Amino acid sequence: MIMKKSFLLIFFGVLFFTAGCDKIDNPYKQVSSIDLDTSLYPGNWDDYLENEYPVFSNNTNTNVNVLIEDYTGHKCNNCPPAAIIAENIANNNPGRVFVASIHASPGETFSFQSVNEGGDKYYTDHTNDDGRAYGKAFENGFNFWGNPQGTINRKTVNGELFAFTGTWETRTTNILSENNLKVNIQSVFNYFESTTGGFLHVEFEKLSNESLDLNAVVYVIQDSLVDWQKMQDNSDNEFYVHKDKHLGSIDGNPWGMPVFNAESSAGDKIILDYSYKLPQNIEKENLHFLIYVYDTDTYEILHVIKQKIE
């Protein structure tokens, strides 16, 4: 189950550093954590704020990363080849390209994602509320016609946000080559084995003076799952490996939380904090987060990073 609790803190770079010092005392320890599930910390919460809440160092990253959102379905016979294309692009650009396989179609029609109730195959519901929200929101005017299609940083090209697989690599290469980094992101996840949960802390830094309204979203991604899939030859594969399966967002909010607005300046920083308890049937080694910032006016993703659960 995805926790729906989070709170945000706003601090600027001057709070993190002083002349002649690497860092000052944790400036967050007095902040209320009423919206976090503090029971996931196996101890006194004040101790966590005092000793385990991270103080982020200067983010020296200069590269913009890419998120491929592969809209798929387990009854879509053309979807396995699309998944291979997305995986190959990511493998060819390690640490720069990430994949989220979202089981959704445009609108409210989900034939490719339908479940056979009581059947001996296709009995797993891979959909979630967030994916359905995207399908509905992008139903008209975004070139979303069906599965398999995808977005590459949700960047609109020639008036089309969604693209067929033949253009995914070119779109990815163009973004990587342009390398226009407008927002930096760094994160820490503190995990506690005894509670099978923990706390995700994410720092966002605005690098551009452009007037932008930006939100942040954290995807929960399951690395792999063996389950039924319709193959390209229309056969049914019981042992298909579904990779990078989108489980929804960490807080149950598909559109995320505001981080910057049109008045924000280059150098402004904000930290978002989330609590998360792992699903009972998924090991932590089989999960990760994808954290991204997007322009709320255009939906374009400006940067994305991966955070492992360790």
Side-chain angles (χ1 to χ4, degrees), residues 167-191:
T167 66
W168 289 3
E169 185 170 10
T170 299
R171 285 188 177 217
T172 300
T173 300
N174 289 343
I175 294 172
L176 294 176
S177 298
E178 184 180 358
N179 205 30
N180 186 12
L181 185 66
K182 298 180 181 181
V183 179
N184 241 339
I185 309 172
Q186 58 180 333
S187 62
V188 171
F189 185 71
N190 290 330
Y191 176 75

Side-chain angles (χ1 to χ4, degrees), residues 53-66:
Y53 194 100
V55 176
F56 289 101
S57 60
N58 184 42
N59 192 341
T60 59
N61 171 64
T62 59
N63 290 324
V64 64
N65 298 333
V66 172

Side-chain angles (χ1 to χ4, degrees), residues 54-308:
V55 176
F56 289 101
S57 60
N58 184 42
N59 192 341
T60 59
N61 171 64
T62 59
N63 290 324
V64 64
N65 298 333
V66 172
L67 174 59
I68 300 175
E69 293 174 304
D70 174 16
Y71 281 75
T72 188
H74 62 175
K75 292 182 179 178
C76 165
N77 67 331
N78 286 319
C79 286
I84 292 174
I85 290 172
E87 181 183 12
N88 287 341
I89 296 172
N91 289 341
N92 290 335
N93 298 278
R96 298 290 305 281
V97 177
F98 308 101
V99 179
S101 297
I102 301 175
H103 288 253
S105 293
E108 297 179 348
T109 301
F110 282 78
S111 59
F112 283 145
Q113 296 80 22
S114 64
V115 175
N116 295 346
E117 298 288 349
D120 60 353
K121 55 187 177 182
Y122 300 108
Y123 41 73
T124 303
D125 186 358
H126 298 290
T127 68
N128 58 70
D129 290 343
D130 288 12
R132 289 178 178 272
Y134 298 141
K136 185 62 177 175
F138 297 129
E139 179 179 10
N140 297 309
F142 298 93
N143 195 48
F144 190 16
W145 302 110
N147 307 112
Q149 278 186 283
T151 69
I152 311 299
N153 268 9
R154 293 189 193 156
K155 186 177 180 66
T156 298
V157 178
N158 296 325
E160 298 177 347
L161 190 150
F162 278 76
F164 293 101
T165 57
T167 66
W168 289 3
E169 185 170 10
T170 299
R171 285 188 177 217
T172 300
T173 300
N174 289 343
I175 294 172
L176 294 176
S177 298
E178 184 180 358
N179 205 30
N180 186 12
L181 185 66
K182 298 180 181 181
V183 179
N184 241 339
I185 309 172
Q186 58 180 333
S187 62
V188 171
F189 185 71
N190 290 330
Y191 176 75
F192 303 98
E193 194 73 45
S194 62
T195 63
T196 62
F199 306 93
L200 176 67
H201 309 284
V202 190
E203 181 200 74
F204 304 90
E205 179 181 3
K206 192 167 185 283
L207 303 180
S208 168
N209 280 316
E210 292 180 65
S211 297
L212 301 170
D213 291 314
L214 305 178
N215 279 15
V217 176
V218 180
Y219 280 171
V220 182
I221 303 293
Q222 185 175 1
D223 292 10
S224 64
L225 170 69
V226 176
D227 210 325
W228 289 95
Q229 174 67 47
K230 181 73 70 175
M231 304 303 291
Q232 196 168 22
D233 62 0
N234 281 321
S235 64
D236 300 310
N237 185 353
E238 181 180 1
F239 303 103
Y240 181 81
V241 180
H242 296 264
K243 296 183 179 180
D244 299 309
K245 177 184 170 183
H246 173 258
L247 301 182
S249 55
I250 193 173
D251 57 354
N253 183 355
W255 307 111
M257 299 176 64
V259 287
F260 300 114
N261 57 34
E263 287 72 43
S264 301
S265 302
D268 287 357
K269 295 181 179 180
I270 185 172
I271 291 177
L272 299 185
D273 300 89
Y274 307 85
S275 55
Y276 181 71
K277 185 173 178 61
L278 272 64
Q280 291 184 354
N281 59 339
I282 307 177
E283 299 294 329
K284 69 178 188 297
E285 293 81 9
N286 198 24
L287 285 172
H288 65 270
F289 302 115
L290 291 179
I291 307 162
Y292 67 84
V293 172
Y294 75 97
D295 185 331
T296 60
D297 290 328
T298 65
Y299 296 104
E300 181 177 350
I301 293 172
L302 304 184
H303 188 40
V304 58
I305 67 168
K306 177 180 179 179
Q307 172 64 57
K308 296 181 180 180

